Structures are given as C-alpha cells and as structure tokens.
Amino acid sequence: MEVELKLLLDARHAARLREHPLLARQASGAPLQLTMHDLYVDTVDLQLCRHQAGLRVRHVDGAWVQTLKAGGSVRGGLHSRHEWESAVAGPQPELDGLDAMIGARQPVRALLRRKAIRNQLHTVFSTRIERTAWQLATPQGDLVECVLDQGVIESGGQSVPVSEIELELKAGQPAALFEIALALLRDVPLHIGQASKAERGYRLAAGLAIEAVKARPLSLNGKLSVQQGFQAIAANCLEQISANQDGVAGGEDMESLHQMRVGLRRLRSALSLFKPLLALPDELRADLDWLAGTLGAARDWDVLSHDTLAPCEGEVAADLLAPLAEAAQEEARTAHAQAAEALADTRYTQLMLTLQRWLLACGWREGITPRQRRALEQPLPRFAKQALRRRQRRLRQRGKLLSKGTPDERHAIRIAAKKARYAAEFFASLFSAGKVRAYVKPLLGLQDVLGGLNDLQVADGLLHKLAHGQPALQEPSSFVRGYLAARAHERLGDAHGMQRAWRRFKAARLPG
C-alpha cells in the first residue's frame, strides 16, 4: 500500500521549496534529478478509470517501468492506494507481469484478465515531468521521500500544468508526513492536492466532470477499541470533506458544497459524541467553526434560491418574485466564490494538515486522565450503546418543547435528531441492519418536518437582508416574507403531522 501526501504549490514558489532548511537538514544527500515521460493507458470507454484503477508506463533514465494503482482512499491530500510496479521492454504495458504480482482477492486482477480490456488498451493522455527527489530521515527515525514535480499533462493538443509536492512514507508513521508538510507550509504557500495526476489527466482527456461525493458506508469491527473506532469515524468524515474539495473550489457546484458541509457536520458531531473522552484543541475547533460558517452561508443562499423561492412560482406574482430570485442567486454566487477562496487560503491547508496529524498521532492522549485512557481502550460496542442512549435522551428531553417551543428551540430539537441519526449511522455496522434502518427512518422524518420550518425561518432573515439598502427589493421582500410566514404558520398548525413524526420516533427502539 502506497501512502503519500500530495500538496500543490505555485511554480513561482518552487525555488523557496528547494532552499527550505528542513530539506537541507533532513536529506541524506543531494537531491536526485529525473526527467519522466508517462503514458497512461485505458480502453476506449475508460474501463480502468471507471473501476478506480490507473495504469501507466514510464520512461525514466533510459528504462521503461509499468505501474498499476487501484483501490484505497484519499482524505485531505493523503493518498493510500495499492500499487504494483515492474520493468517492461518498451512503451507497451505487459499485463502478465502485473497479474503475477496482484493478490488473488484484488478486484483489479480479474479486470485486467478480461480480453476486451487487454485488446483495447491505448494511450489516453501523457505527462512530461521534471522531478527533484530528496530522501528524508526525521529525528524520530521516519523515512520519507519528498519529490517536487513540475511539468504538464497532455492530451489531444490540450495541456494543463503540474506543480506539486509528494511526500511518500517509506518507513515509520504516517503522522510524519504531516509534520514535514506543516514545517514546509510555514515558509511556502501550499494547498491540499486531492486529485492525482491520473484523475487530472482523465478530466482533461475525457472531459470528466467533478462529481459530488456522499459519505462511504462505515464498516467498524466489533473488536475495535473506542479510540480506534473514533479514528475510523473521523477518517470517514474527513474523506467526505476532502472528496468534495475540488468541486467547491470550482466556485459553482451546489451539491459538492452541500456534501462537503455534510461531511463537516458529521465530523463535528463525531467530536461531540466522543467529547467525554477526548477534546479537540481550541485552535482546531476555531478553524472548523470558520470553515463551517463559510460553507453554511453559501448553503443558506442555495436553499433560498432553489428550495424556497423556486417553488413559489405560480403562487407569487412574477414581478415580485423575479427580482428577489435574481438577487438571491447573485448572493449565492458570491457566497460560493467566498467558499472557494477559503479553500485556496493556507488557513484551510493548515487546518486539514493539523487535524490529520492530531488524528493519526492520537493527539488527544496528551493530558488525559488515567480514567479517560482506560475508557478509550475499552471495546467500541459498549461505548456505542451508551452513546446512542445519551443521544436519544437528549432528543427526548428537547422534544418536550416541540409543539409550543420558539423557532430556536425547534431548531435545537432538529439538531438533536440529526446528531442521533449520525450516531446511529456511525455505529450501524455494529448492530442489526434492520434495527438500524427502523431507528433511523423516523429520525429522518422528524428532521424533514423540522427542517422545512427552519428553512422558512432562515429565508425570512435572508430576504430581510436582501431588502436592506435596496429600495427596489423592499416591497417584493415584504410580500414574499409574508407569504412564507403564512406557509410556516400552516405547517405549525399541522400539529397532527408534527406529532405523528414525534410519535414515530418515540416508538422506535434503539438498535443496540
């Protein structure tokens, strides 16, 4: 399994990286200079890409080497993938040589044995890279290869530049990669590299769009400790956050922003769930709040534009609705641009690197009590049952205000329901799938009822903000706010529907 951290840098800052004192201090010798020409091959319909595999043939130092990568995961620039490599005679891949190296249980082995794939392989895109490589040894004994790659990805007469750093773990602990990256970041502006060269090449060659990514299902072993369970859950949340990074960085994709925000909410919920046993450093918590606020602002404008105002067509006169919709969409575009700027800020890089170092190095163990230490070493299933009961008690307590509570109190009920659902989903693999579904379904129903009310409450504030200082929008804003207030009143008047959702939740049994 190859483990490497990818970071992007402006080509103008390459000289600053080469002269960084850390490289001079930890390098075992002079850097190696390499000129590489890579040919990435696939079928006409991109079967390897569709199965999350990449096959290349590299020409370097007068020799040819083929490399196959498949499976694994990416979170916050940390790429973990299966890798197989062997020498070949020329620019054509030799699949029999790879077949002998791949484990029998690897899905990619069966894929490469298909005649339809073997007979269709051709070059889809290529790269030309000038590489500088340093072999580093940390004071703790970790061995890391640091490479600076600069060049281009080419396909069909088009090209995109490459300027990136890869920190590959050769021996030691993955946390060492983040220590090195953070030291470099103090002097060189760096950004998280989510996409590999292969992904970028496929986007160039085939015009593949960046797609929003939902959370992958968690599979937790019942033999895990509480600490190991937290690490797996947090890593899953970080994977969802970082998987949507490039979509948000593009400045327009609503679903990528939504899924990145969901990943961030899940992470914060996980931190809250395990808070009795571990605490996030204040600086990291402040940076998570900053990112959540930036993404949340953009999401609010998206919901107003597409979920609240759009359904008003036919109910509200076009001359009143159209200027509001146009103004809301402009605010949404501005908020998305601000979210993209946040991801381009080195504060985001610092956050993701520091958070992952804290996670991999179990940074919470510093300063904890012996009792907390023992609790972290206990089996995860017992903690999961207790955590689900705590979440349920919190929701039932807050739910007493469901009918007569203020908007803020109903919002607190909705948040409690969401946290209870996240907890059930985190620990789902520890319990019966049917029991988990039966518990989560009424939580989703309760969230939907309360979420609709919350959207109308948020919309009222945003419409008031739109009209402020814009006389032309004051009359349309007042009318639509009144219309939405009437809709909210109708929903509140539907006590039967709200109480039905609450009764369904109360009747649901905890999966554990």
Side-chain angles (χ1 to χ4, degrees), residues 214-220 236 239 266 425-426 429:
K214 294 184 178 181
R216 290 205 293 182
L218 263 165
S219 180
L220 301 176
N236 179 269
E239 184 179 355
R266 293 175 65 242
E425 292 171 345
F426 289 151
S429 59

Side-chain angles (χ1 to χ4, degrees), residues 106-286:
Q106 291 291 340
V108 72
R109 187 184 190 189
L111 182 69
L112 291 183
R113 288 184 172 185
R114 297 180 189 173
K115 288 185 179 180
I117 288 181
R118 286 178 169 244
N119 297 335
Q120 289 186 34
L121 291 179
H122 72 289
T123 300
V124 178
F125 59 92
S126 63
T127 65
R128 297 182 185 277
I129 302 293
E130 296 295 326
R131 168 168 287 184
T132 306
W134 295 263
Q135 304 303 319
L136 308 181
T138 71
Q140 294 76 30
D142 308 288
L143 301 180
V144 176
E145 182 180 53
C146 173
V147 304
L148 169 63
D149 282 349
Q150 294 187 285
V152 293
I153 301 172
E154 301 172 318
S155 179
Q158 297 179 303
S159 67
V160 291
V162 172
S163 183
E164 63 186 33
I165 301 169
E166 292 177 357
L167 297 171
E168 182 176 352
L169 185 67
K170 297 297 186 180
Q173 300 300 315
L177 303 179
F178 296 93
E179 291 283 359
I180 293 171
L182 286 165
L184 297 176
L185 181 63
R186 296 188 193 105
D187 302 295
V188 183
L190 301 172
H191 307 284
I192 300 296
Q194 180 66 17
S196 65
K197 294 184 187 71
E199 288 176 279
R200 295 183 64 198
Y202 277 114
R203 290 175 190 172
L204 177 67
L208 298 183
I210 298 175
E211 296 183 353
V213 180
K214 294 184 178 181
R216 290 205 293 182
L218 263 165
S219 180
L220 301 176
N221 189 310
K223 296 181 180 179
L224 293 178
S225 68
V226 173
Q227 177 170 275
Q228 290 170 328
F230 169 72
Q231 287 178 301
I233 290 169
N236 179 269
C237 298
L238 280 170
E239 184 179 355
Q240 183 183 11
I241 293 169
S242 59
N244 291 287
Q245 170 190 298
D246 289 353
V248 176
E252 296 180 356
D253 191 351
M254 290 190 301
E255 186 60 21
S256 290
L257 185 137
H258 175 51
Q259 291 301 326
M260 187 175 193
R261 183 168 176 254
V262 169
L264 185 57
R265 284 206 315 257
R266 293 175 65 242
L267 176 62
R268 297 170 84 189
S269 182
L271 289 165
S272 173
L273 192 65
F274 287 82
K275 189 176 181 180
L277 303 180
L278 52 87
L280 188 70
D282 291 340
E283 290 184 3
L284 279 175
R285 189 171 300 280

Side-chain angles (χ1 to χ4, degrees), residues 335-409:
H336 272 264
Q338 291 170 344
E341 289 173 6
L343 300 194
D345 194 315
T346 53
R347 182 177 181 180
Y348 173 74
T349 308
Q350 176 90 18
L351 166 61
M352 295 300 284
L353 294 177
T354 307
L355 186 57
Q356 292 191 88
R357 179 186 62 178
W358 178 79
L359 182 62
L360 289 168
C362 300
W364 52 84
R365 295 185 75 89
E366 298 179 9
I368 63 174
T369 66
R371 182 178 181 180
Q372 287 174 311
R373 191 178 299 272
R374 288 193 298 271
L376 285 169
E377 294 167 355
Q378 293 299 306
L380 180 63
R382 181 181 177 185
F383 173 86
K385 292 178 182 179
Q386 294 171 342
L388 289 176
R389 284 197 293 269
R390 287 199 305 271
R391 286 288 193 243
Q392 186 185 55
R393 283 197 301 269
R394 174 70 64 86
L395 176 53
R396 288 193 173 198
Q397 181 64 31
R398 292 192 170 177
K400 294 177 181 179
L401 298 173
L402 182 63
S403 297
K404 298 182 180 179
T406 65
D408 287 343
E409 287 169 335

